[in-house]
Amino acid sequence: MQDTTMDADVIVVGAGPTGLMLAGELRLGGAEVIVLDKLAEPTGQSRGLGFTARAMEVFDQRGILPRFGQGESLEVSPVGHFGGVQFDFTALEGAPFGARGIPQSQTEAVLAEWAAGLGADIRRGHEVLALADGFRDGDHAEITVGTPDGVRRMRAPFLVGCDGGKSTVRKLAGIDFPGTEATRAMFLADVTGVDLEPRYLGEALPNGMVMAAPLKEGVHRIIVCPHGAAARSADDTVTFEEVAKAWEHITGEDISGGGAEWVSFFSDATRQAAEYRRGRVLLAGDAAHIHLPAGGQGLSTGVQDAANLGWKLAAVVTGRAGDALLDTYHAERHPVGRRLLMNTRAQGMVFLGGDQAEPLRRILTELTGYDVVRRHLAGIVSHLDIRYDLGEDDGDSAHPLLGRRLPRLPLTGPDGATDTFRLLHAGRGVLLDLTGDAGLRAAAAPWSGRVDVVTATTSPADRDSVLAGLDAVLVRPDGHVAWTGSGGTDGLHTALTRWFGAPAEH
């Protein structure tokens, strides 16, 4: 039972995509959650313009992908790039480059509506000012918050910082943020009053790199990366005149007669939190990792952080699982973040390295002529290649699906047609019984309410799918496979206990 002196089970700081996704996940798991954001209203600005294939899947697993648009209104690009070298991502099955042209403001609006509809308490104009000692070893985290009605204290068993690269929560918790300093400045702006040729995937030119994409009638998003532009202080500002001058320097095109709805700048600073959890404080999204934006991976990684953490944290605060389950969050997501920083730094070297990087670009272009290279690079950028190390049972002899995400596959169940993503809409675990095994269902009965047991069959057309040869799979709420079975229930009890807590007594 929740301690009545607590304001919520979890306080999330930051109402960006990561914080809002986490809030929805926590509510699906039955946790009471308050989201705090220091801004009185969303800015309406959109640094991100879309998300990766895996982020699309995460949204689809919760049934909210259609809220971003359907059919032609949800623009999915099969062609992507790695460091500006373009190739067809569909060389990897199920791997488009991702959804493009979706402003981050729209993503935040969709997620805010979803989370609030599930009962999340979203409070704007609330700024975290201090974190009390005791969060490392105590039973709660206590923060001091500036609110529209004055300063107050708030308490919760857990505090999650989803408050961006300058994270106040991370700094107050004393979590190290090692990495490399910025070496260059790059600009972005939503420009008006000019007609620009789309450069969706960017164009490398002698004086730098530029990207351009139409947002709406009369508005284009541009990104301008001039060679030799020195790194800037985070407190600096940038003007449209400066952006227009850099654009003309690179492209030869004069856009100074137009204007901009907003302008900003970013850098190639690369950092990752040393710990994703310290006691009662956790980090997710940009609060845990910052990097050169390449392929929409930042927002998408934050959404996946939230999908990994949400169900685990909800299970712990509601008493369904022990605290050790939270240790798997850092263990699984920190390596993903490290690999993210590696691939974005590599892309920056190729795409922004100027003449010195030209031999590397040519070699990479040659390599993308091979299917195995295209599949590998597509897997990296789409995040479809993520495989979590699930521990002692995850060895060389383990099924190749173990630890990986289960793709969307059509199924036929007792109520007719369904699919593997629809089974995850409720945010619970799923034990997919492919053979109608009564013993399997009996073995999972003590976890009723935490794990849905679904008897279904695959389509004959999918007999060569990833489920071929399997009788059953246990799927975590985040869509990753925790156990595979073929001819029995060996290991199922252990997997259910590890991921969903001790069995209920009957």
Side-chain angles (χ1 to χ4, degrees):
M1 182 178 234
Q2 180 180 316
D3 186 337
T4 56
T5 65
M6 300 292 170
D7 291 276
D9 293 321
V10 182
I11 296 174
V12 175
V13 181
T18 301
L20 294 169
M21 184 73 197
L22 179 60
E25 293 292 296
L26 288 164
R27 288 300 301 138
L28 284 176
E32 296 297 323
V33 58
I34 295 173
V35 181
L36 307 179
D37 196 282
K38 67 181 181 181
L39 297 179
E41 298 290 340
T43 65
Q45 297 178 1
S46 298
R47 283 179 172 260
L49 280 181
F51 32 81
T52 66
R54 180 56 188 153
M56 290 177 63
E57 289 189 343
V58 171
F59 294 145
D60 210 3
Q61 288 171 181
R62 296 297 179 258
I64 59 176
L65 184 61
R67 302 189 189 193
F68 294 95
Q70 294 180 300
E72 293 182 358
S73 64
L74 181 62
E75 187 177 1
V76 178
S77 173
V79 177
H81 72 91
F82 188 93
V85 176
Q86 299 180 20
F87 62 97
D88 189 344
F89 270 47
T90 57
L92 180 66
E93 185 177 357
F97 184 49
R100 72 183 185 190
I102 299 174
Q104 184 173 322
S105 58
Q106 180 185 350
T107 301
E108 291 179 1
V110 167
L111 293 177
E113 181 183 32
W114 174 65
L118 291 170
D121 182 353
I122 303 171
R123 303 181 186 180
R124 293 194 170 274
H126 286 61
E127 181 177 7
V128 175
L129 304 174
L131 171 65
D133 291 338
F135 68 89
R136 292 177 182 84
D137 304 311
D139 62 357
H140 69 278
E142 180 178 304
I143 54 176
T144 303
V145 184
T147 81
D149 299 318
V151 176
R152 61 164 295 191
R153 293 183 179 179
M154 300 181 69
R155 303 171 74 205
F158 289 96
L159 173 71
V160 187
C162 302
D163 49 341
K166 301 176 185 177
S167 172
T168 296
V169 172
R170 185 188 66 239
K171 294 173 184 176
L172 292 173
I175 296 175
D176 289 340
F177 201 42
T180 60
E181 297 285 352
T183 64
R184 62 167 69 218
M186 293 156 277
F187 311 120
L188 69 163
D190 289 349
V191 300
T192 59
V194 294
D195 187 20
L196 296 176
E197 187 73 22
R199 294 174 169 96
Y200 290 109
L201 300 180
E203 181 180 4
L205 296 165
N207 292 326
M209 188 277 292
V210 294
M211 300 178 72
L215 290 183
K216 55 187 177 183
E217 185 67 30
V219 182
H220 289 76
R221 160 64 54 81
I222 64 171
I223 296 177
V224 193
C225 306
H227 293 326
R232 305 171 73 122
S233 165
D235 298 324
D236 284 353
T237 58
V238 61
T239 64
F240 172 68
E241 288 75 19
E242 189 174 357
V243 174
K245 184 177 180 181
W247 179 272
E248 185 173 13
H249 176 64
I250 297 172
T251 67
E253 301 169 2
D254 183 3
I255 62 172
S256 61
E261 294 186 339
W262 66 282
V263 295
S264 186
F265 71 93
F266 59 96
S267 76
D268 58 350
T270 302
R271 296 184 178 278
Q272 183 179 24
E275 306 163 82
Y276 280 18
R277 179 192 180 190
R278 174 172 285 189
R280 296 284 165 171
V281 174
L282 300 106
L283 303 174
D286 288 352
H289 39 74
I290 61 170
H291 54 89
L292 181 76
Q297 295 184 79
L299 183 156
S300 300
T301 301
V303 165
Q304 293 169 74
D305 287 345
N308 184 286
L309 175 60
W311 64 275
K312 296 174 182 178
L313 189 51
V316 171
V317 297
T318 58
R320 301 192 306 270
D323 188 74
L325 181 61
L326 285 182
D327 292 336
T328 67
Y329 172 60
H330 175 95
E332 293 179 352
R333 293 304 297 174
H334 196 271
V336 170
R338 187 168 59 245
R339 186 167 171 80
L340 168 70
L341 268 57
M342 178 191 71
N343 98 60
T344 52
R345 287 190 70 189
Q347 292 197 64
M349 292 175 185
V350 175
F351 211 176
L352 305 176
D355 291 341
Q356 289 185 327
E358 185 57 31
L360 184 57
R361 279 193 290 272
R362 291 182 180 180
I363 289 292
L364 186 58
T365 301
E366 289 182 12
L367 289 173
T368 55
Y370 297 91
D371 282 344
V372 65
V373 174
R374 290 197 298 272
R375 288 194 296 270
H376 182 73
L377 295 179
I380 290 174
V381 178
S382 68
H383 302 161
L384 297 184
D385 71 341
I386 293 172
R387 183 181 188 184
Y388 296 139
D389 181 352
L390 301 187
E392 60 184 3
D393 294 327
D394 187 16
D396 293 337
S397 62
H399 192 280
L401 193 57
L402 191 66
R404 296 189 183 277
R405 109 286 183 208
L406 183 64
R408 183 173 190 166
L409 296 171
L411 300 168
T412 302
D415 300 322
T418 185
D419 62 62
T420 49
F421 285 1
R422 195 175 303 173
L423 299 181
L424 293 167
H425 283 188
R428 293 189 292 271
V430 174
L431 179 60
L432 181 57
D433 171 17
L434 297 167
T435 62
D437 185 346
L440 190 76
R441 296 193 297 274
W447 287 269
S448 176
R450 288 174 273 175
V451 177
D452 297 331
V453 182
V454 178
T455 300
T457 58
T458 57
S459 164
D462 292 307
R463 63 185 60 188
D464 295 327
S465 75
V466 293
L467 296 177
L470 293 175
D471 295 333
V473 292
L474 176 64
V475 187
R476 306 187 323 185
D478 59 0
H480 284 258
V481 174
W483 173 84
T484 60
S486 181
T489 60
D490 289 351
L492 178 59
H493 185 280
T494 299
L496 285 165
T497 302
R498 180 181 184 190
W499 299 110
F500 301 102
E505 296 182 4
H506 292 281

